[in-house]
């Protein structure tokens, strides 16, 4: 019999997990000297830019021609293989036990060897895997070798990075009694009931298996303790059992956007003598999610509109290396601007990303693939040979996370006719959805579509796939929601990608009471998918690649966060309109500084959610205009033309009901006289993984940033930390990211430091020929 007891003791488990992130050897393409690296590591980000040949350099507006440049989509980095090795000493906790290598991901495909023997591989490196090396590990030194392959340029439509870009662990457990991979399955009902299931293997001679559990609330108080028994299966040693059904949690603290309360389940597998054989720990949230045709999405019974963005997995100057602190910094930024949602385009992000969304209260559309072809899923073997292994791993990894509200299996399949079974993805979707439901039946399933019809020549009816997905996710084509909804009233609409160029209209023109929400494509600039050299990637976002907000970020904030009065001046510098993916893109080349040519005139916008805005130049009133709230194409965007420039201060004041509620001013600044440096991490941990982002700005005598400053900075570090990236937000710069110097761009640059595993005093020196050296002192702990 299987006996279940809920206990408060979490510390007696015999599972041992060792971090293998530190001390790897690396060399590129198996050439040259080996050098030491730590994981996460992206070997592509270190490589030189590869400029296109002269006949491959199109006009920036001709995106179709730009495809001729074979590396434009992949960030103008050469493809290659990263060779890694790690010396694993045989330890006492390996003897007589199961020994597993756990890789959270290897970019893009990879082979793994132990002591010269091939022991495992991945065909799609965005999804994790483990390798049982119990019978392969030997006494003495064990050599782990990994060959990570970026594949060919056409095997991805964006910059993937390459190498050991996520965490690696060594896990040991008993051989006879142990939990499976991602073993716990936790579901909630009616915001008060919890069901816990587990997968475990019992190869002992004992007839029953004892499991001890504990559930604690967000304040670490035990909220439930009980026992339960189940019969042991005679036909299999591995069981998946719903151990406890409908546990009632009185006065449950709900997981929500502003109060992301997390409960914890701890499970202990016991031997007959009461000692612990294995343990599993998982956090979860108590919440309800509903999707309805007439109101979109409900969270805990109330309407919530998804207000978010869709980006690729990379982290700016860090490339694909999945640092938790870099992910957290992005999450904190987007929440400040009113976002509550991220779509993981077009692959699973790291597990740390999902955990941080759980922690901060973000809603995730968790996506597995781009297109269902060999070309777009690694290119090593056919798609049909590996999807059935990746779906369970993906679902079991993320299914207990309250932040995940919707599964997405793919993206824009209509653009590639080579889908399995030659029926536009219908059969493949049904197969994957069936397997998905084997591991989680609590969430709906979708596929992001573009175009939303079968081909580019007709738009009379939705695509066949849109007729069977649980959610109708259209990239850009929100204008079809009303008509499709009238013909098919059961449909539930989500604008899975929205164009920044059409920001505002593609929000306000939707029926916000009925739709699920939207995700702005490429809201943060990223590497890859360049619209033309010298740009190394996407430049159409509302945040630059160093996470500095562009003026249009405040337009987004004005309607993503309407409860906060806002006004922001955006001066039009140029209009860059580009057709991409059959959608007009392009940002407005705006700035928000006031250093201009004397006697010139400017056109500008004031972004606001107020009723009206008054504009003043050096105290002189230039006019007062209403916010055109009844016009969805112009709402929150007030245009001002022929504004004369004069040195001084340009001030915008927003009013509601005749009373001032928000102000923004831009000033003519003087020459730069010094640098100031602002770190972002007040509690920098000496765990070998934590990051310190330091923003450097050139300022005038009054401490105002000087946007024209372009001085080159050099960075030196003393102490147990090192530079892992430099950036300045200019995605067209030819400077590399993994160096010790960087020019200012718009008066700013950033250096990113990685701590070591030893607590230390760290000193960063920032030097430039024209200015006094700036010294920053830190302590890691």
């Amino acid at each position: 019999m299987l006996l279940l007891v809920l206990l408060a003791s979490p510390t007696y488990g015999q599972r041992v997990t060792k971090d293998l992130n530190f001390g790897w050897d690396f060399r590129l393409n198996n050439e040259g000297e080996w050098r030491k690296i730590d994981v996460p590591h992206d070997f592509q980000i270190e490589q030189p830019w590869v400029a296109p040949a002269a006949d491959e350099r199109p006009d920036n507006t001709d995106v179709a021609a730009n495809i001729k440049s074979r590396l434009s989509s992949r960030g103008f980095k050469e493809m290659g293989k990263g060779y890694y090795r790690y010396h694993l000493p045989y330890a006492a906790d390996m003897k007589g036990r199961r020994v597993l290598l756990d890789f959270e991901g290897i970019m893009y495909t990879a082979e793994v060897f132990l002591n010269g023997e091939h022991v495992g591989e991945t065909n799609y490196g965005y999804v994790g895997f483990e390798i049982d090396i119990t019978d392969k590990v030997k006494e003495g030194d064990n050599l782990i070798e990994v060959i990570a392959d970026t594949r060919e340029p056409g095997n991805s439509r964006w910059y993937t990075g390459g190498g050991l870009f996520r965490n690696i662990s060594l896990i040991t457990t008993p051989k006879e009694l142990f939990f499976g991979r991602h073993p716990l399955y936790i579901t909630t009902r009616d915001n008060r009931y919890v069901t816990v299931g587990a997968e475990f293997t019992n190869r002992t001679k004992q007839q029953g298996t004892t499991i001890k559990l504990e559930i604690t609330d967000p304040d670490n108080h035990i909220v439930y303790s009980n026992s339960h028994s189940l019969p042991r299966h005679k036909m299999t040693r591995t069981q998946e059992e719903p151990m406890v059904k409908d546990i009632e949690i009185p006065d449950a603290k709900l997981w929500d956007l502003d109060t992301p309360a997390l409960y914890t389940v701890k499970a202990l597998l016991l031997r007959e003598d009461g000692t612990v054989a294995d343990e599993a720990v998982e956090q979860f949230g108590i919440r309800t999610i509903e999707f309805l045709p007439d109101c979109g999405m409900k969270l805990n019974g109330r309407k919530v509109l998804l207000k978010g963005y869709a980006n690729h997995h990379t982290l700016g100057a860090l490339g694909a290396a999945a640092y938790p602190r870099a992910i957290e910094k992005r999450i904190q930024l987007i929440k400040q601007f009113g976002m509550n949602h991220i779509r993981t385009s077009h692959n699973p992000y790291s597990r740390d990303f999902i955990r941080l969304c759980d922690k901060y209260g973000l809603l995730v559309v968790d996506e597995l693939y781009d297109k269902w072809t060999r070309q777009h899923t690694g290119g090593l073997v056919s798609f049909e040979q590996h999807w059935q292994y990746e779906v369970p791993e993906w679902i079991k990894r993320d299914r207990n996370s309250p932040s995940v509200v919707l599964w997405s299996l793919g993206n824009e399949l209509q653009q590639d006719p080579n889908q399995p079974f030659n029926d536009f993805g219908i059969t493949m979707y049904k197969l994957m959805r069936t397997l998905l439901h084997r591991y989680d039946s609590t969430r709906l399933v979708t596929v992001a579509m573009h175009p939303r019809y079968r081909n580019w020549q007709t738009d009379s009816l939705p695509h066949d796939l849109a007729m069977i997905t649980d959610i109708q996710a259209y990239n850009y084509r929100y204008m079809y929601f009303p008509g499709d909804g009238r013909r098919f009233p059961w449909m539930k609409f989500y604008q899975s990608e929205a164009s920044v160029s059409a920001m505002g209209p593609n929000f306000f023109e939707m029926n916000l009471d009925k739709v699920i929400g939207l995700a702005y494509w490429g809201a943060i600039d990223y590497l890859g998918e360049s619209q033309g050299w010298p740009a190394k990637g996407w430049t159409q976002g509302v945040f630059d690649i160093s996470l500095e907000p562009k003026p249009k970020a405040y337009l987004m904030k004005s309607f993503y966060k309407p409860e906060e009065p806002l006004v922001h001046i955006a001066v039009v510098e140029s209009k860059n309109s580009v057709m991409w993916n059959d959608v007009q893109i392009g940002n407005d080349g705006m700035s928000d500084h006031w250093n201009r040519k004397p006697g010139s005139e400017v056109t500008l916008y004031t972004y606001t959610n107020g009723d009206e805005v008054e504009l003043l130049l050096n105290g002189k009133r230039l006019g007062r205009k209403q916010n055109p709230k009844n016009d969805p194409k112009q709402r929150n965007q007030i245009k001002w033309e022929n504004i004369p420039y004069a040195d001084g201060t340009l001030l915008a004041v927003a009013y509601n009901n005749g009373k001032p509620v928000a102000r923004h001013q831009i000033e003519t600044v003087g020459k730069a006289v010094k640098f100031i440096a602002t770190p972002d991490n007040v509690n920098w941990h000496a765990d070998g993984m934590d990051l310190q982002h330091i923003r450097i700005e050139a300022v005038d005598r009054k401490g105002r940033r000087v946007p024209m400053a372009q001085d080159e900075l050099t960075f030196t570090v003393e102490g147990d930390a090192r530079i892992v990236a430099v950036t300045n937000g200019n995605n067209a710069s030819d400077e590399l990211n993994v160096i010790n110097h960087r020019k200012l761009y718009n008066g700013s640059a950033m250096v990113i430091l990685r701590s070591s595993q030893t607590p230390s005093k760290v000193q960063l020196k920032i030097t430039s020929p024209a200015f006094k050296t700036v010294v920053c002192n830190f302590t890691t702990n």
Side-chain angles (χ1 to χ4, degrees):
M1 302 293 288
L2 179 140
L3 177 65
L4 174 94
V5 185
L6 289 172
L7 293 184
S9 175
T11 58
Y12 301 116
Q14 296 300 302
R15 172 176 293 244
V16 177
T17 301
K18 179 184 178 182
D19 189 334
L20 294 190
N21 284 342
F22 305 99
W24 287 79
D25 298 319
F26 169 80
R27 64 182 179 185
L28 181 65
N29 295 325
N30 212 18
E31 298 172 349
E33 297 295 321
W34 293 95
R35 62 183 177 90
K36 289 292 183 184
I37 63 95
D38 294 328
V39 174
H41 179 245
D42 174 5
F43 68 77
Q44 268 199 308
I45 197 68
E46 305 170 353
Q47 305 310 312
W49 306 114
V50 181
D55 61 349
E56 293 181 325
R57 298 184 186 181
D59 185 281
N60 271 353
T61 61
D62 188 354
V63 178
N66 192 42
I67 299 303
K68 293 190 302 182
S69 178
R70 65 188 184 91
L71 298 177
S72 59
S73 292
R74 302 291 292 267
F76 293 106
K77 297 285 188 177
E78 192 58 82
M79 303 299 101
K81 293 183 180 182
Y83 285 73
Y84 297 85
R85 66 185 187 187
Y86 184 92
H87 290 274
L88 176 69
Y90 189 83
D93 60 13
M94 298 181 189
K95 189 173 183 178
R97 294 164 61 81
R98 290 173 73 235
V99 184
L100 307 172
L101 283 175
D102 185 311
F103 295 90
E104 289 192 14
I106 306 176
M107 190 50 49
Y108 186 13
T109 65
E111 295 179 282
V112 182
F113 300 83
L114 180 66
N115 299 322
E117 180 183 352
H118 183 276
V119 293
E121 63 188 22
T122 177
N123 295 313
Y124 185 65
Y126 292 108
V127 174
F129 64 103
E130 69 181 16
I131 304 170
D132 190 331
I133 59 171
T134 303
D135 298 329
K136 309 292 184 183
V137 70
K138 61 182 178 65
E139 293 190 11
D141 181 66
N142 291 269
L143 181 63
I144 302 170
E145 296 173 284
V146 178
I147 304 175
D149 190 349
T150 62
R151 304 297 297 155
E152 299 304 315
N155 287 134
S156 179
R157 299 187 298 116
W158 56 85
Y159 176 83
T160 62
L164 300 178
F165 75 128
R166 294 182 185 166
N167 295 323
I168 307 170
S169 301
L170 181 77
I171 300 169
T172 62
T173 75
K175 288 183 176 181
E176 298 82 14
L177 187 60
F178 53 87
F179 282 117
R181 183 169 173 80
H182 312 306
L184 299 183
Y185 183 27
I186 307 162
T187 60
T188 64
R189 181 174 65 82
D190 299 337
N191 279 347
R192 60 188 302 182
Y193 298 105
V194 179
T195 293
V196 181
E199 177 187 345
F200 59 92
T201 297
N202 185 348
R203 294 174 180 162
T204 68
K205 295 181 180 180
Q206 64 192 50
Q207 293 302 306
T209 305
T210 302
I211 295 183
K212 295 182 178 181
L213 290 178
E214 126 183 329
I215 301 179
T216 54
D217 70 9
D219 299 317
N220 205 32
H221 299 137
I222 298 172
V223 296
Y224 181 79
S225 179
N226 204 352
S227 62
H228 186 67
S229 63
L230 291 171
R232 177 176 172 178
H233 289 303
K234 295 181 180 179
M235 300 299 293
T236 179
R237 295 290 190 175
T238 299
Q239 299 173 227
E240 293 180 64
E241 301 290 351
M243 297 184 296
V244 186
K245 294 183 178 180
D246 285 344
I247 303 168
E248 184 173 1
I249 307 295
D251 302 317
K253 298 177 181 179
L254 301 187
W255 187 93
D256 214 314
L257 299 177
D258 297 322
T259 56
L262 292 171
Y263 287 73
T264 303
V265 168
K266 299 183 181 75
L268 305 178
L269 264 176
L270 300 186
R271 302 181 181 90
E272 283 187 314
D273 63 2
T275 59
V276 176
D278 201 359
E279 65 179 326
V281 179
E282 187 77 284
Q283 287 190 313
F284 71 100
I286 298 175
R287 57 101 174 109
T288 57
I289 292 288
E290 301 171 86
F291 292 94
L292 302 167
D294 60 344
C295 68
M297 192 188 84
K298 286 186 175 182
L299 172 63
N300 298 326
R302 79 181 194 286
K303 162 76 176 182
V304 169
L305 186 72
L306 295 185
K307 297 181 290 187
Y309 79 105
N311 259 62
H312 296 304
H313 67 289
T314 51
L315 298 169
L318 294 165
Y323 290 97
R325 173 58 195 144
I327 298 167
E328 182 180 47
K329 185 177 179 67
R330 289 185 167 220
I331 289 174
Q332 291 170 332
L333 172 69
I334 67 171
K335 288 207 66 156
Q336 291 172 11
F337 279 78
M339 293 191 191
N340 62 18
H341 160 54
I342 298 176
R343 173 185 166 219
T344 69
S345 311
H346 305 292
N347 47 262
Y349 288 9
S350 68
R351 181 60 189 157
D352 284 324
F353 164 81
I354 296 293
R355 290 193 185 103
L356 286 164
C357 289
D358 291 343
K359 174 183 176 180
Y360 282 97
L362 281 177
L363 303 170
V364 177
V365 173
D366 203 346
E367 191 158 275
L368 180 57
Y369 296 120
D370 187 21
K371 296 162 180 60
W372 302 333
T373 67
R374 176 173 182 165
Q375 176 186 353
H376 297 101
T377 56
L380 197 61
V381 298
S382 69
F383 176 73
E384 291 88 337
Q385 290 180 258
H386 59 90
W387 69 268
Q388 62 268 38
Y389 304 105
E390 291 145 8
V391 169
E393 168 69 16
W394 168 56
I395 297 299
K396 291 171 71 176
R397 191 197 75 165
D398 291 347
R399 63 187 176 183
N400 296 323
S401 288
S403 62
V404 177
V405 296
L406 185 64
W407 303 117
S408 175
L409 289 169
N411 174 69
E412 297 183 351
L413 308 178
Q414 297 90 323
Q415 295 187 24
D416 192 319
N418 299 311
Q419 301 303 309
F421 308 107
N422 197 31
D423 62 354
F424 295 96
I426 303 299
T427 300
M428 193 71 250
Y429 171 79
K430 290 179 178 178
L431 288 171
M432 284 196 285
R433 186 175 181 270
T434 299
L435 182 58
L436 185 158
H437 280 166
R438 160 71 174 80
Y439 297 100
D440 179 46
S441 59
T442 67
R443 295 173 179 86
L444 299 184
V445 185
T446 192
V447 172
M449 302 181 202
H450 184 63
R452 90 1 149 179
Y453 36 88
R454 178 169 291 188
N455 57 54
W456 296 103
Q457 283 71 48
T458 177
D459 60 0
S460 59
L461 288 172
H463 190 278
D464 293 350
L465 195 56
M467 304 301 290
I468 63 170
T469 53
D470 299 331
I471 300 295
Q472 285 60 52
Y474 297 174
N475 290 354
Y476 310 107
R477 303 307 195 202
Y478 69 94
M479 63 287 296
Y480 292 102
F481 290 170
D484 288 356
R486 285 190 295 270
R487 285 181 287 188
F488 309 104
W490 45 269
M491 285 186 165
K492 301 171 283 290
F493 296 107
Y494 164 54
Q495 192 180 169
S496 37
E497 290 179 22
S499 169
V500 168
S501 180
M503 180 173 280
N506 53 20
F507 180 84
F508 291 116
E509 289 180 348
M510 296 192 299
N511 185 337
L512 301 178
D513 294 329
K514 296 187 67 172
V515 300
I516 294 166
L518 79 168
Y520 278 109
W521 178 256
I524 301 176
D525 289 352
Y526 56 85
L527 292 173
E529 294 191 293
S530 169
Q531 274 79 66
W533 181 268
K536 308 307 186 296
W538 184 262
T539 59
Q540 314 304 323
V542 298
F543 302 99
D544 71 27
I545 199 166
S546 74
L547 303 185
E548 283 281 271
K550 303 176 188 179
K552 211 163 189 176
Y554 296 92
L555 170 61
M556 181 186 70
K557 185 178 182 180
S558 74
F559 55 81
Y560 267 11
K561 205 170 185 178
E563 70 278 5
E564 182 178 309
L566 176 149
V567 65
H568 195 91
I569 300 168
V571 181
V572 178
E573 302 285 358
S574 64
K575 184 71 174 180
N576 180 22
S577 181
V578 179
M579 291 302 294
W580 176 83
N581 210 7
D582 201 46
V583 175
Q584 181 173 308
I585 62 171
N587 220 325
D588 295 322
M590 292 180 171
S591 68
D592 47 11
H593 69 80
W594 198 241
N595 280 66
R596 303 188 179 273
K597 184 179 179 180
S600 63
E601 292 185 341
V602 301
T603 296
L604 61 86
Y605 286 86
T606 48
Y607 297 139
T608 187
N609 50 23
D611 294 338
E612 54 185 346
V613 169
E614 185 174 35
L615 197 63
L616 302 96
L617 179 58
N618 296 326
K620 180 182 177 181
R621 290 180 172 84
L622 301 181
R624 188 160 171 162
K625 294 187 178 184
Q626 296 288 321
N627 183 353
K629 292 185 176 181
N630 293 325
D631 181 357
K633 293 188 181 300
Q634 300 297 325
R635 184 171 176 175
N636 288 16
Q637 306 179 64
I638 301 175
K639 188 175 184 179
W640 307 75
E641 296 182 293
N642 303 318
I643 300 298
Y645 173 75
D647 288 355
T649 300
L650 184 67
L651 170 67
V653 182
Y655 294 84
N656 280 339
N657 301 317
K659 297 181 179 180
V661 292
R663 300 163 63 94
H664 179 232
Q665 68 180 38
I666 53 179
E667 299 176 313
T668 307
V669 300
K671 292 183 178 181
V673 297
K674 65 177 181 177
F675 299 130
I676 58 172
T678 307
D680 76 330
N681 192 346
V682 296
N683 190 19
W684 192 11
H685 296 294
D687 59 5
M689 296 288 287
D690 204 8
L691 301 180
Q692 184 73 260
H693 299 75
I694 302 101
R695 172 74 61 182
I696 300 96
E697 299 170 276
V699 299
D700 68 3
R701 294 186 183 280
K702 294 184 179 180
R704 301 171 298 188
R705 182 189 289 191
V706 180
M708 296 73 63
Q710 299 180 2
D711 301 82
E712 183 169 22
L713 312 178
T714 299
F715 308 103
T716 56
V717 179
E718 296 179 6
D720 283 328
R722 67 182 187 274
I723 297 170
V724 288
V726 292
T727 183
N728 61 12
N730 181 7
N731 219 3
S733 172
D734 290 337
E735 299 169 288
L736 294 177
N737 296 113
V738 190
I739 50 178
N740 71 340
H741 54 91
R742 191 75 170 189
K743 289 182 178 179
L744 297 173
Y745 177 70
N746 290 331
S748 170
M750 178 185 286
V751 58
I752 306 174
L753 308 183
R754 179 176 181 171
S755 68
S756 74
Q757 294 178 281
T758 303
S760 170
K761 293 186 181 299
V762 177
Q763 186 177 86
L764 170 69
K765 291 184 179 179
I766 307 162
T767 60
S768 181
F771 298 99
K772 184 179 179 181
T773 296
V774 173
V775 178
C776 302
N777 293 301
F778 308 96
T779 300
T780 62
N781 53 66

